[in-house]
Amino acid sequence: MLKIFRSLARSKRAMVFVDYEYWFYSYKNKYNLRPDTAAWRAELEKQFDIEDIMIFADFSSPGIGEELAKLRNITNTIIETGTATQYRKKDMTDFVMLDYIYQNVTSRNDVGTYIIFTGDGHFQSVVKYLVQKRHKKVVVYGVTDTFSKRLQGVASDIRLLPDEEELNNSYMRMIVSNLAHVETCLLYTSPSPRDYGESR
C-alpha cells in the first residue's frame, strides 16, 4: 500500500520547462495574444505538485523583454538564452532547454511527470527518452497550428492553447480595434457643410 502511495505521489510531482520564445511569438503572430501565464500556472497546480517552472528565452528584444516582470510572478527560474553574437538565437534556446531537461531527469528520481511547453519537433527525442527509457509521464503543451505532429505522437498527453476563452477575448479585441479604426476613418472622411455649398 505504501509503495502504491509513493508511486502516485511521484507521478503527481512535476517539473515544468517552457520555451517562452515559442509561446510568446506563436501567440503574437497567429492570434495577436500575449500568454496568460498566471492562469496557466493556476491550472497546472490543480493537477500536479509543481516542483519548479523553468522559463527559457532570449529576452533582449523589446516585446518579449517586457514579459519578464509578469514571468517573475510565476517562477524564480528564468534562464536567459541570449548570446553575445546573437547567432542562431532560437537554436540556442532549444539547446539550453534540452540540456536542463536531461540534467534534471538524471538527478531527480522523485519526479514522475515532465511538462514541456514547445511545439518544436527538435524535442521529439528527449520526450521519447523520458517516456520510453525513464518511464515518465510527459505532457507537452503547444500552440494550435504550430505544434509538430511528430512531437505530439511521442508525448503521453498533449494540450493545445489558446483555449476557447482566450480566443474569444482575442476576437473581441480585434472587433473593438476595427470598430475604432472605422470610426476614425468616418470622422476624417465625413463631408463638411462646405462640401454641400452651405455657408458657415
Side-chain angles (χ1 to χ4, degrees):
M1 188 69 172
L2 184 60
K3 190 175 181 181
I4 293 170
F5 177 76
R6 283 178 179 160
S7 177
L8 288 171
R10 186 163 47 247
S11 69
K12 279 201 73 178
R13 191 171 292 140
M15 282 292 299
V16 184
F17 300 83
V18 180
D19 177 350
Y20 199 68
E21 282 179 61
Y22 162 73
W23 191 1
F24 178 81
Y25 290 114
S26 296
Y27 259 40
K28 179 182 176 186
N29 296 334
K30 286 200 71 68
Y31 300 104
N32 195 31
L33 285 171
R34 284 188 181 243
D36 186 346
T37 51
W40 179 70
R41 176 171 181 138
E43 191 61 34
L44 284 182
E45 288 175 335
K46 292 176 186 174
Q47 306 163 62
F48 304 100
D49 296 328
I50 305 299
E51 290 291 302
D52 196 8
I53 295 177
M54 305 184 81
I55 306 280
F56 300 81
D58 174 4
F59 292 100
S60 60
S61 298
I64 196 168
E66 293 161 10
E67 297 285 289
L68 276 168
K70 179 174 76 176
L71 292 171
R72 288 190 182 108
N73 289 327
I74 68 159
T75 184
N76 291 320
T77 313
I78 298 172
I79 315 298
E80 166 63 59
T81 61
T83 61
T85 62
Q86 301 299 300
Y87 176 69
R88 294 178 66 83
K89 291 184 287 185
K90 185 65 186 74
D91 284 351
M92 182 57 70
T93 296
D94 291 351
F95 175 79
V96 173
M97 186 167 153
L98 284 165
D99 185 49
Y100 270 83
I101 294 171
Y102 279 116
Q103 284 187 48
N104 189 272
V105 74
T106 57
S107 63
R108 294 292 303 268
N109 291 326
D110 59 327
V111 173
T113 298
Y114 283 77
I115 298 165
I116 302 174
F117 200 132
T118 184
D120 195 326
H122 291 155
F123 286 81
Q124 180 188 2
S125 294
V126 71
V127 171
K128 192 183 289 187
Y129 170 75
L130 290 169
V131 173
Q132 296 178 1
K133 301 291 187 186
R134 302 306 297 257
H135 310 292
K136 307 294 184 182
K137 178 179 181 179
V138 181
V139 180
V140 182
Y141 277 81
V143 177
T144 302
D145 297 329
T146 68
F147 197 168
S148 162
K149 297 292 184 190
R150 292 181 298 132
L151 181 57
Q152 292 183 46
V154 295
S156 309
D157 188 13
I158 62 166
R159 313 274 173 90
L160 290 170
L161 291 178
D163 60 23
E164 194 173 335
E165 184 179 349
E166 282 183 292
L167 283 176
N168 287 340
N169 289 340
S170 172
Y171 297 148
M172 289 301 295
R173 279 195 294 272
M174 284 191 277
I175 290 167
V176 169
S177 175
N178 286 335
L179 286 174
H181 177 70
V182 168
E183 184 179 19
T184 302
C185 289
L186 288 174
L187 283 173
Y188 285 107
T189 59
S190 295
S192 67
R194 200 181 314 176
D195 295 327
Y196 293 106
E198 299 174 15
S199 59
R200 284 191 270 179

